[in-house]
Amino acid sequence: MGVDDIEDRAPSTNAGYDYDSDKSAVVGRDKLSNVVPPDDKFEGKHRWDLEATWTPEEEKAVVRKTDIWLMSWLCVMFFGLQLDRGNLSNALADDFLNDMNLTSDDYNNGTTIQLVCFLAAEFPVQLITKRYGFRRVLPIMMFAWGTVTWAQSWMHERAGFYVTRGLIGACEGGFIPGAILYATYFYTSKELAVRLSVFWSTLNVARVISALLAAGILEMRGIGGKPGWFWLFLLEGLLTVVLAVISFIYLPASPTNTTGLLFRKPWYTERQEVIMINRVLRDDPAKGLTALKERIKWKDVKDTLSDKSIWGLYFIGLIAYIPASPVQGYLTLTLKRLGFSTFNTNMLTIPSAVLQIITMLLLSFSSDYFEERTFHCLFGEMWIMPLLVALLTLPDGGREWGRFTLITLVSGYPYFHPIVTSWISENTFDVKKRAIAAAVYNIIVQVGSLISSQIYRRWDAPYYKTGNKVLVSICALSAVTFVVQRIVLVHLNKKKEEKWQQMSSEEKLVYQNDLASREKEGNKRLDFRFAY
């Protein structure tokens, strides 16, 4: 975040506001709540109160309750997604490719098909979720991909492998941005990056638990005349279906509507609902302009795609995660080729998962604490670069533990995806556009994953020297892109500040109270500042 934004920060987020008594115009999204009242269709409008105040202890209690009741279960749901999306990697350790008469290129093609279907479903799912609500759409998606997961146990040829990969991708597409947008109605932007890191930490927790489960389940090879991967897909898919059913009756509709079959009483007291709604709207008043269930129009899509201030972040999404992806995706296969047993291969995937949980949480906490995005993301890329160079220079043959160490460190790099996701949320004002931007960004990230899945080729095995050279080049390009994006946002903020200072105090007040123009222009407004 820029220096001007820090200097203009309001001293307290729980101070009361008054339209008539506030005679000065300020800049920054978190200081506009006194001039941007929530719309009548907003679910929490009845709890909105400009004069409401609360103590830090009361706010912490609300956040803590939200962490326990909401975020923890979203992590459980994400665990189900990663469990079913990543168990194919565990199956590779059980001679899955040989049993199915598949080559590593067939495996790459299956991964590509899954990603294509995933990103094809991404945008339509966002439209459906925004129309029919998170509490219904997300569990239904989970039930669908869990069903496909257990059903794929009976596949026996390349065609079945391709079909099930495509169905899993189609059922999972849109879940992640939908869950993230859902969480934004409960948290402020300053809390989001850390919570998203916890959310994505579930990915690594799933890798650890999946490895432990796989180590045991794959030992069931031969039971019922079935391979170990048959039981792996069947049991983990059924587990996901059970979690989906629970999610359907568990998730709340909104912060002020948390009752359901499992909860006859609301999660929050009336006082806590007031705190919840007002703390979120004072941080980001745009959330009050859109109902949780509201159609997205084509104009919203057009306006979002034409927003040049986010284009750099889209490009970051395309390339920034490629350098580590092939190394992570081929971790079990590489370990198997290095001579490790099925059990040891799955156990040796755990250190990288644990390392990434620690590094990601620390990086996100630091990013939120210092209110800075660019250089924290850049740190993640700079972590990967020397390790890839070391893999290139490591002599062929032997040195299994040295190679394992480098692969583990690459796979456990500080994953900055939560920071970039929060960054996009901060730099969009309208919530509908935020949903679109999140979907577009996630689609582009999946396109990057699609590209990364084709970098390691069979002819380049087992050390993938050519592939690693490509990864080093992309890593350098990503680092340059982060710096350029920061320069662009600083420039845009500077231009806004120059125009803002040319206005008189009276003109600023009139400008800030023009609600119709604010909803139309969003982050283009002169009193909005981009975070970087």
Side-chain angles (χ1 to χ4, degrees), residues 327 382-396 398-399 402-410 456 463-465 468-469 471-472:
V327 180
M382 292 300 99
W383 174 294
I384 300 171
M385 177 76 80
L387 297 172
L388 290 175
V389 173
L391 280 175
L392 276 172
T393 57
L394 191 67
D396 296 348
R399 300 174 177 81
R403 206 174 305 276
F404 163 73
T405 301
L406 291 174
I407 292 173
T408 297
L409 288 174
V410 172
Y456 278 6
Y463 302 114
Y464 305 106
K465 296 288 187 177
N468 286 333
K469 290 178 183 178
L471 296 181
V472 169

Side-chain angles (χ1 to χ4, degrees), residues 185-236:
Y185 283 91
F186 293 81
Y187 292 103
T188 66
S189 59
K190 299 175 185 62
E191 300 161 346
L192 197 57
V194 171
R195 267 70 189 182
L196 292 184
S197 293
V198 173
F199 184 66
W200 262 289
S201 292
T202 309
L203 182 151
N204 293 288
V205 172
R207 285 169 58 191
V208 173
I209 296 178
S210 180
L212 293 171
L213 289 174
I217 295 175
L218 292 179
E219 294 297 320
M220 296 173 67
R221 171 175 278 269
I223 296 179
K226 301 294 185 182
W229 54 261
F230 171 92
W231 298 107
L232 182 70
F233 291 148
L234 179 64
L235 295 176
E236 292 187 350

Side-chain angles (χ1 to χ4, degrees), residues 239-271:
L239 173 61
T240 301
V241 168
V242 172
L243 293 177
V245 173
I246 297 175
S247 299
F248 194 82
I249 59 178
Y250 180 92
L251 292 180
S254 70
T256 56
N257 183 9
T258 54
T259 57
L261 291 177
L262 289 182
F263 300 96
R264 295 301 180 182
K265 293 183 179 180
W267 289 5
Y268 308 103
T269 65
E270 182 176 324
R271 166 73 174 167

Side-chain angles (χ1 to χ4, degrees), residues 32-50:
L32 297 176
S33 59
N34 61 326
V35 293
V36 186
D39 194 275
D40 290 336
K41 61 180 176 289
F42 177 60
E43 291 82 354
K45 175 65 179 292
H46 62 292
R47 300 300 188 205
W48 177 62
D49 183 3
L50 283 173

Side-chain angles (χ1 to χ4, degrees), residues 288-307:
L289 302 179
T290 306
L292 267 74
K293 294 183 180 181
E294 186 170 336
R295 293 179 185 272
I296 293 176
K297 301 177 182 178
W298 170 245
K299 183 180 181 300
D300 299 319
V301 177
K302 183 180 178 181
D303 290 345
T304 304
L305 295 179
S306 62
D307 187 351

Side-chain angles (χ1 to χ4, degrees), residues 455-515:
I455 291 177
Y456 278 6
R457 307 300 295 176
R458 181 173 56 178
W459 57 265
D460 199 25
Y463 302 114
Y464 305 106
K465 296 288 187 177
T466 301
N468 286 333
K469 290 178 183 178
V470 173
L471 296 181
V472 169
S473 300
I474 295 176
C475 191
L477 175 61
S478 178
V480 171
T481 304
F482 273 114
V483 175
V484 171
Q485 175 66 5
R486 178 184 175 90
I487 293 172
V488 169
L489 294 179
V490 169
H491 176 69
L492 291 175
N493 280 352
K494 184 177 180 181
K495 288 178 63 178
K496 285 186 177 186
E497 182 64 21
E498 290 173 353
K499 293 180 180 179
W500 181 254
Q501 294 302 330
Q502 293 174 3
M503 299 170 64
S504 66
S505 299
E506 291 75 15
E507 288 173 331
K508 291 177 181 177
L509 287 173
V510 172
Y511 180 86
Q512 286 201 322
N513 284 278
D514 187 352
L515 296 181

Side-chain angles (χ1 to χ4, degrees), residues 107-173:
Y107 171 74
N108 286 343
N109 292 335
T111 301
T112 300
I113 291 171
Q114 179 180 350
L115 289 172
V116 169
C117 293
F118 187 95
L119 62 90
E122 194 86 29
F123 194 71
V125 166
Q126 288 306 294
L127 299 180
I128 295 171
T129 303
K130 201 69 181 72
R131 177 66 181 86
Y132 295 102
F134 304 95
R135 75 184 304 180
R136 294 292 175 259
V137 176
L138 297 180
I140 290 174
M141 293 174 63
M142 192 176 187
F143 185 91
W145 83 62
T147 300
V148 177
T149 296
W150 66 255
Q152 72 180 338
S153 299
W154 282 271
M155 63 184 176
H156 58 275
E157 59 184 10
R158 183 189 295 112
F161 172 65
Y162 288 164
V163 169
T164 53
R165 285 295 97 192
L167 288 174
I168 287 179
C171 293
E172 291 181 341

